Amino acid sequence: MSCFLMINSWAGDDQMGATEKMARIFRMDPEEADAVVDNLAGGNPWQFDHQISDHQSQVAEPYLQSLGFEVERIPVMSDDGMGLGMPMEGISESKPGFFGKIKGLFKKKS
């Protein structure tokens, strides 16, 4: 089974370090990671747009928590509806995620 990672907040000691590591983990530009961590520090959650394996999430979750992130794993429902959690496609399609909104802000400024 796979899952999505939802990061609900950040409350660490080294925001610059957390931003740099988040950019590497999620393969995003440093500017995007900076905006995400700023918003997380303000209490706005962020969800990684791609599914990851359970093994990847079991490695990523404690690492992200050690950086000060509050992490939640959201299991992906199978096609037969037998999985746990909520079907993420309904959430993703009904309104863009936080990262999509941030991406849109960067495009508007250009």
Side-chain angles (χ1 to χ4, degrees):
M1 188 184 282
S2 59
C3 66
F4 287 94
L5 282 185
M6 171 74 79
I7 302 177
N8 294 311
S9 64
W10 179 81
D13 296 327
D14 180 10
Q15 187 168 345
M16 176 92 71
T19 299
E20 290 170 4
K21 290 174 183 166
M22 180 176 226
R24 274 188 258 138
I25 293 167
F26 294 107
R27 297 180 183 158
M28 62 175 71
D29 294 328
E31 295 83 18
E32 292 171 317
D34 186 46
V36 169
V37 175
D38 277 344
N39 280 293
L40 287 165
N44 298 306
W46 176 79
Q47 179 180 317
F48 185 51
D49 290 334
H50 304 283
Q51 295 179 28
I52 63 172
S53 71
D54 282 339
H55 175 71
Q56 288 174 313
S57 70
Q58 290 169 358
V59 172
E61 184 177 15
Y63 179 71
L64 290 166
Q65 289 172 337
S66 75
L67 298 173
F69 295 102
E70 181 188 320
V71 182
E72 177 181 352
R73 284 188 271 169
I74 303 171
V76 176
M77 288 190 79
S78 62
D79 290 337
D80 62 6
M82 297 303 291
L84 300 173
M86 306 171 10
M88 295 307 295
E89 60 273 350
I91 293 172
S92 299
E93 291 172 7
S94 64
K95 63 180 185 178
F98 176 75
F99 185 71
K101 292 177 187 174
I102 292 296
K103 218 173 186 181
L105 290 174
F106 286 122
K107 288 181 181 178
K108 291 177 185 174
K109 290 181 179 179
S110 298

